[in-house]
Amino acid sequence: RVSRMECNRAIVMRMLSSRGASACWHTARGCAASRATSSSSAPTAALQPGDQRPLPFQDFVHTARSDVAGLLGQVEGASWVERLHRLSQLALDLWPPESPHWRVAGPLVVPSALSNSRQFPQELAVALSAQKPLGPEARATVLQALCALKGGEAATRRNIAVLLASLVDSRGVVGAHRRDGGLALQLPLEELRKCVCSISESSIAREEAQKESAVRDFIMEGAKRLSKSPETVGLPELLALERALRLLEVDRKEVEAELRRRLLEAAGRRPAPAESRRRVDASQGSAKLSEQRQIVSLIAGSQALGEVAVLRAPHIREALLPDALSTGDAAELLRHALPADGALNSAHEMVVAQASRQVVMGARTLSSRQIASAVRGVLALQAQGDEFAVGQAANILRALWSRVALRQAFFGPKELSDILWAYWWQLLYSRQELALTGTMRMHPVVPPGDGSSRNTAKETKAIDELSAKLLRPAISRLAEMPLKQVAACLTALAPPVRQPDVMSDADRMLLVESVHNVFSPANVMSSQPFPERWMQEYWSSELLSLTVPELLELACGLREARMDSRAWPLKSVVAEVDERLRAFGKTRPPVELSHFLLLRLCRVMDLWHGHEVEEVMKSLLSDPEAVKPLPTAYFVALLSALCEFAVPKELPLRLVSSFLDRVDRNEHVVRPEQWAEILRAVRPLDEWPSFERVTPRLLQRLVPHLEGLQPPVLVATLVALAAKPFTRETHGLGSAATHSPLTRVPAAALEAVRKVVAARSLDFLQVVTVFDSLGKLGWYSEPTTAAVLNFLAETPLLEPHAPSMLPLVRACASLRVHHAPLLHKVVLWYCWCFAYLWPKPLPSEKLDELLELAEYLMELSFQSLELQGVLAENLKNPNATSRQTLALLSALARCSHFPPEFKETCAKTCSTSSESDLASLTTAELVNSFNVHLCAVFDGPAALKHWLTEDEGMKSFFQVHTSQKWYQKQDQERTTFLQSPAYLSLRQAITTAGLDLQPSAPGEVYHIEFVSSDAKERLSSLSDNPPIAVVCVKTKEQLRWYVPITADDSSSQVLETHNRCHQFRFMFREAVQKMRHLQAMGYRPAVVWMSEWNTLSSEEERVDYLRTALGEPASFRPASAEEEDIYR
């Protein structure tokens, strides 16, 4: 052994002196890193100072391949077989199991073109039995090295299988005691056991062992031989042998019997001091698995055989005491202390508690490998999921953190991905506890005493420390990881089940950039990304080494990193998944999905379109019973993700309906915020009438808890409801509708909004969002409106508030609220932003926003010289389209503001507008454009009026393009009125009162509900007794809240008593312009407020009301009618 190590050391030194390359994993990583650093000019903006740019995996694999080729060139031997043996000795001594060299060495050591002849097995047998053949132990060394090889194309894997079969054959083996037996009968027991364990860990060898082959015969003969004398094998080795035989599906009764006998024997006697107290100095390196202490093997064996009683034995408990259990043993013990199935019992908890306490006490003495072993135990504890196990995991992670941060560069890819997974999972768990309870518990970095209350500063500091010392270094080493570990890291860092995301936006962008850098951004969209054939073989073998769930996790991770679905890494992964899931005949291969993986598949649903996964998901989600095991949090997240894609709406609605049925049977516990999230997800899909009645059932659950929702959740819920307001039919009919959820939700929501606004739990933008949502829903109450107006009036406007001005004014118009001081404040701030913040001239999008704001202000009958100046300034805006220019002219005309540019712009627009521009105008825009002519004629100066009525071009434009739509609208209103109940009741009252009134004739400029019979004669004769025009002001044209600009503002608060609508009636919208123009035409308008008229129950009341309206219309107060029908 000593001479062989000296020889190997000499070869390595010769390689380093001649090539400068490295044969170990760490040096390969450093060599590839130096190559990338020298070739890259500067880090990108997303990388933090000091962070190392991740390498494309091709560069890293090239470096490892160069090391293997260099080692092959230094190996000496007379024949190929001898060189293979020497190479196997060197590789087993130099390359760790996780080294990338094992993944690229296959095509070099056993090239696919090694023999094109079908006589390769015979040629190999001749080579093995040449002048200097290999002995049994030499063959065992080569066999173990071949089993360590990973990957390779089909031909390479086939040649490896042939080599394995030839190595275990009986021909040409020298130094054997039996010349007629195979290798299984010629090896010493210890070497035989190592070979069996190596075969069990190799996918290529396991495939050969599962079919009729020489390798299968070797396994069977070796198992028989080892089973005859298991007492000669140590307990750790016996445990490894039992696991290997279980993986190879070979009879292991004798091995299990011997293992059980030793466990029971050890449980009944005191362990020898040398077995329980042996320690390994950290300076001497970490111990190999075969040198682990007896207590670790005893615990692992008891768990493997289900002998829980062994854990309760006095001698076992004594060996777990702090004075008897070493820290290294405790670190190794953790991953064996948990049962394979089922929950923890008191014996398991005792072992876990003792081991975790010893690890916490001696964490500073652990080596890198012992830390990695302890972290694997932590992962097992986290997978257990109960509070005890997760708490112990948090204690261990906190104790290990300083050592992990210090030695993270010394961990292998598998170890680093495990550490990242453990710490990030624990951090997410801690954040979940913080969100639910308000206390920071079981944090992986912050000690328990520091997290007794919510402390944002400490939490932020801990996350920054984890990101700087673990997350970013792990991301920078993605290139050196196998795809299995890349998938594990991307899964650990995937967006959590519930928001908020632990990762900052900067770290998330760093991960995105790192993934793109690893997979060669220069040729990521190429159809042939690999310049060399062996690289394609390497990539294919990497995909082949992954299971279907791991492939799905990798695809989800790449897509979550914003990789294009057409990029070759993602295309190849999805193609491999299709190949694995493709149905043969009528059956499809089964696939097991975890809860989180199913959620991630739904989050990237667009990736699976047209692929096999889409059929799997369709089959799974179409059956509500299939998602029944999902916890509530996962179901809610899955539903939210599913509703973001164009899936058949029946699918999520059926899932929610089934979920509600299970909740009715008390099979699920749902928190109020989860009900709100479900409602937000399915509300856009739920149409009335719905067979499942999903929305009413959800509201029934949510309404009692609206006031208890967190303010952001309440805001999001109202926004979702406002995106699709309820129609009148959804409220139902009859007395039962009074108690329906759809009827009760407005009052509950308004009260909840009043409380959160009064408590100052929302910021300005959130209050405006809520106010706008209430306007879209049509939900109004004076206490809530007073609270909102009070908040808005007291809040000083800042630059970030500029986008909220339009929603604020829109909400006021929708809820019929005219608070002139607030509107004046909004207009002044908007005009200031226009003057000092926004570019000149305004872009087209900003111009649309200005026009919409002006439209709502005109609906509210709010006049502002500052806003009129802004509108007039944009008449010359070169970015304005014909549609926008006509809208500007209409807005100024309705404000009775005619600046000097008005006439010039009007003439230019009307003469230069093309037929396509005018054809693109909607009916509402054409009606609005006619106001340019109508308002100018009634309210404009005489010269402008004369020009509009006498100029042939103007007359032709408005007559041909806009007047038709205006008169059609008036006729439609007349038809609607004549078909309404209001016409019948008014007609009856007029007849009873003996009034000479009749409906206006069709074709009038304005539709008038009733006019004097001789109205035209009086108007033409300029009679001193003007004709009467009865105008019905509908509820939607009557303000609910009015505060004039001249109101006393000495009080800083907005109270309900400030509302002038308690004493007087105020109209707005189109009714104001209509009344003004009717008076200009010579009519004497008489107003009938429909909110009052519809409350009158008798004929006498209606006659009295009508007579009074014709005389003193202001003597009636408006009723509190909330209906918004056209004549209600």
Side-chain angles (χ1 to χ4, degrees), residues 828-840 842 870 873:
L828 288 180
W829 177 247
Y830 191 89
C831 294
W832 186 90
C833 293
F834 169 79
Y836 298 104
L837 296 182
W838 298 333
K840 303 293 189 308
L842 283 181
V870 172
E873 184 176 342

Side-chain angles (χ1 to χ4, degrees), residues 734-772:
S735 59
T738 306
H739 306 287
S740 70
L742 297 177
T743 305
R744 292 187 292 118
V745 67
L750 288 167
E751 182 61 18
V753 169
R754 185 191 67 79
K755 289 184 177 180
V756 297
V757 173
R760 297 298 192 266
S761 300
L762 302 176
D763 59 24
F764 183 88
L765 298 178
Q766 290 174 318
V767 171
V768 172
T769 301
V770 168
F771 198 38
D772 188 29

Side-chain angles (χ1 to χ4, degrees), residues 28-43 47 51-60 63 476 479 517-518:
R29 181 163 58 86
C31 180
S34 63
R35 178 190 300 178
T37 305
S38 61
S39 63
S40 60
S41 57
L47 294 173
D51 290 341
Q52 183 182 16
R53 175 187 288 274
L55 299 170
F57 82 102
Q58 296 183 14
D59 291 348
F60 193 82
T63 303
S476 69
N517 287 341
V518 165

